[in-house]
Amino acid sequence: MKLAVLGAGAWGTALAIRFAEQHQVVLWCRDADQAASMAADHANTRYLPGIPFPANLSVEADFGKAVAGADLVLVVTPLSGLRPTLKALRALDHRAPLLWACKGLEAGTMKFPHQVAEEEMPADVPRGMLSGPSFAQEVARGQPAAVTIASSDPQFARNTVNALNTSVLRLYASDDLIGVEIGAAVKNVLAIAAGICDGLNLGLNARAALLTRGLVEMARFGAAVGAHQETFMGLAGIGDLLLTATGDLSRNRRVGLLLAEGLNLDDVLANLGHVAEGVPAAREVLKQAHALGVDMPITEGVCRVLFENARVPDVISTLMERAPRMENGL
């Protein structure tokens, strides 16, 4: 196939490298100077230094040329870039099947990526999401990983998995699109909480409790919108949560670690140098949870630290002093 990967950050580049093992891949970069640099270097030295591009991977700064003739389009921008990218596709009347790897809820609208796609793309365009436990650097280097492709059209999910599965990136199909999107959004928020926990040296017991109860929050959120509970026991749920909350390559975990050092949010984001989707997602997840009547105390605590300058010890006290309850009740 010919694939167009839209977004030349670390994750978009990693997927382009991996899928170019067996497909012709065009990687679109909106910055013409960066695109020229990558084309000359045959590598993305900004985000993935030292990892060369395969022969089947080319770089293009012209959007129309990048998607021309594509059999499948992968949108791998931050979530804030999903809607404008889809608008650009629709302006070209481009109807190739579509995947996105954007994680979170749209700022200001609380909409999931599939809802954005419903608004911006023709109804007959097959679509879905790619998500799961996968750091870009490891995927680009060819280290083994497994992710999920979810779609409300199970046959599209299965066909895409069969087409894109590689020797080192194993793909699984899912028909629970909303569940996979919830896992992708909430795990980033919980990774910030885990970074704070570890940065304050609260201990392994505390981290285990935090992640376990965080998974309950994820499942509660999912139950409120009809997601499949087994999704949260899979790659896009607990798998991605464990990786993002404990792995040293995690941007969102890094946000928590820096907050634990006493930095304010602006300084944290400046220090990071990359997009951390958990920051905007936290606010939107909590707003959606309130609208649905879903109790998400860890998410609420993260939002208090991020956006209300709450003292971390006060937030921890609030969590620990909650009234005891049955563990297995969602």
Side-chain angles (χ1 to χ4, degrees):
M1 294 195 302
K2 178 182 178 183
L3 275 62
V5 177
L6 308 181
W11 187 219
T13 303
L15 289 174
I17 290 171
R18 204 72 285 125
F19 294 142
E21 285 183 12
Q22 54 199 28
H23 300 287
Q24 193 70 37
V25 178
V26 178
L27 177 62
W28 173 70
C29 176
R30 66 178 180 175
D31 184 321
D33 290 338
Q34 185 187 354
S37 176
M38 287 193 292
D41 296 336
H42 302 289
N44 188 337
T45 57
R46 177 182 297 182
Y47 294 116
L48 296 172
I51 303 175
F53 288 169
N56 282 346
L57 173 56
S58 60
V59 183
E60 178 59 67
D62 185 290
F63 189 86
K65 291 180 180 178
V67 301
D71 301 302
L72 179 68
V73 173
L74 287 79
V75 181
V76 199
T77 64
L79 185 57
S80 60
L82 177 60
R83 191 180 292 274
T85 302
L86 298 184
K87 285 182 180 294
L89 284 172
R90 184 155 192 168
L92 295 172
D93 195 28
H94 201 280
R95 293 174 177 265
L98 170 72
L99 287 179
W100 55 85
C102 316
K103 298 180 178 183
L105 278 72
E106 188 178 44
T109 69
M110 300 186 295
K111 289 181 178 176
F112 290 97
H114 80 270
Q115 294 172 310
V116 176
E118 286 171 358
E119 292 177 356
E120 300 298 342
M121 296 300 292
D124 60 347
V125 173
R127 64 194 68 166
M129 179 178 190
L130 184 153
S131 186
S134 46
F135 285 141
Q137 291 92 331
E138 293 187 2
V139 169
R141 292 189 193 107
Q143 293 175 271
V147 297
T148 298
I149 290 179
S151 174
S152 55
D153 178 350
Q155 190 59 51
F156 169 66
R158 286 192 291 267
N159 290 345
T160 307
V161 161
N162 290 335
L164 296 182
N165 194 63
T166 81
S167 59
V168 292
L169 183 60
R170 182 168 175 79
L171 305 181
Y172 289 85
S174 169
D175 63 356
D176 186 16
L177 179 55
I178 184 65
V180 168
E181 289 184 325
I182 287 172
V186 177
K187 62 94 180 183
N188 281 333
V189 181
L190 298 174
I192 295 174
I196 294 171
C197 178
D198 288 348
L200 294 175
N201 294 312
L202 298 183
L204 300 178
N205 294 341
R207 185 171 70 184
L210 173 72
L211 296 184
T212 304
R213 296 308 300 170
L215 188 62
V216 171
E217 290 194 14
M218 187 186 292
R220 279 196 201 118
F221 196 0
V225 295
H228 304 164
Q229 290 299 295
E230 59 267 27
T231 296
F232 305 116
M233 297 298 108
L235 291 168
I238 192 170
D240 212 357
L241 172 60
L242 288 176
L243 180 75
T244 311
T246 65
D248 289 336
L249 295 175
S250 168
R251 301 171 189 173
N252 292 286
R253 170 178 161 78
R254 180 67 178 158
V255 168
L257 290 169
L258 292 172
L259 289 169
E261 292 179 9
L263 275 69
N264 63 41
L265 181 57
D266 289 341
D267 290 340
V268 166
L269 297 180
N271 182 289
L272 202 63
H274 293 260
V275 174
E277 292 282 19
V279 174
R283 196 195 305 269
E284 301 305 316
V285 167
L286 187 61
K287 286 162 56 179
Q288 185 74 278
H290 285 164
L292 295 168
V294 177
D295 186 30
M296 300 185 72
I298 297 173
T299 300
E300 186 163 358
V302 169
C303 285
R304 289 181 59 203
V305 173
L306 288 175
F307 309 120
E308 300 175 17
N309 295 318
R311 294 179 63 251
V312 172
D314 294 340
V315 172
I316 294 170
S317 294
T318 299
L319 289 171
M320 294 301 292
E321 292 168 6
R322 283 164 53 86
R325 63 195 63 206
M326 295 294 291
E327 182 185 12
N328 60 358
L330 289 180

